[in-house]
Amino acid sequence: RPNCVLLVATVRALKMHGKGPKVTAGRPIPREYTEENLPLVKAGVCNMQKHIENANKFGVPVVVCINRFATDTEEELEEVRKAAMAAGADAAVVGEHHAKGGEG
């Protein structure tokens, strides 16, 4: 039996789940993903929240790590953190391992 569920989320992925524009390999990423866009984040957190709901059925703590990218804003990260906690996560923290490697 596991001790916890670790769910990793990114602002960028949640924006995609929020009906953000299509991302195409080899093309520049649309600005909606590199600039603050709280409406897309808010529209996409339901995907993460459903994962939290499902994980809670196993009866172990659910921890969400929000993998910070350089273009994420504090407001976007806080929106994800609040949505995770509202959905029943036991903790939601920002990780900087994408930018800082082992130090993050």
Side-chain angles (χ1 to χ4, degrees):
R1 176 179 155 112
N3 293 320
C4 77
V5 171
L6 175 62
L7 176 68
V8 179
T10 66
V11 168
R12 188 173 292 176
L14 294 173
K15 286 178 176 180
M16 288 179 186
H17 288 297
K19 307 277 189 237
K22 183 178 179 178
V23 174
T24 304
R27 305 216 44 188
I29 190 161
R31 66 179 174 77
E32 288 85 350
Y33 300 112
T34 59
E35 296 176 2
E36 182 173 89
N37 193 317
L38 290 172
L40 275 183
V41 174
K42 290 177 182 181
V45 294
C46 61
N47 178 276
M48 174 190 67
Q49 290 177 315
K50 184 63 178 177
H51 284 294
I52 293 168
E53 178 187 322
N54 290 337
N56 272 324
K57 293 176 183 177
F58 291 96
V60 296
V62 177
V63 177
V64 176
C65 177
I66 308 159
N67 188 0
R68 177 197 295 259
F69 283 77
T71 55
D72 297 342
T73 67
E74 292 300 322
E75 291 79 9
E76 289 173 326
L77 294 165
E78 181 61 14
E79 186 64 37
V80 175
R81 192 198 68 74
K82 288 189 313 188
M85 297 303 292
D90 292 276
V93 297
V94 175
E96 298 190 35
H97 49 281
H98 180 266
K100 296 183 179 179
E103 294 177 20

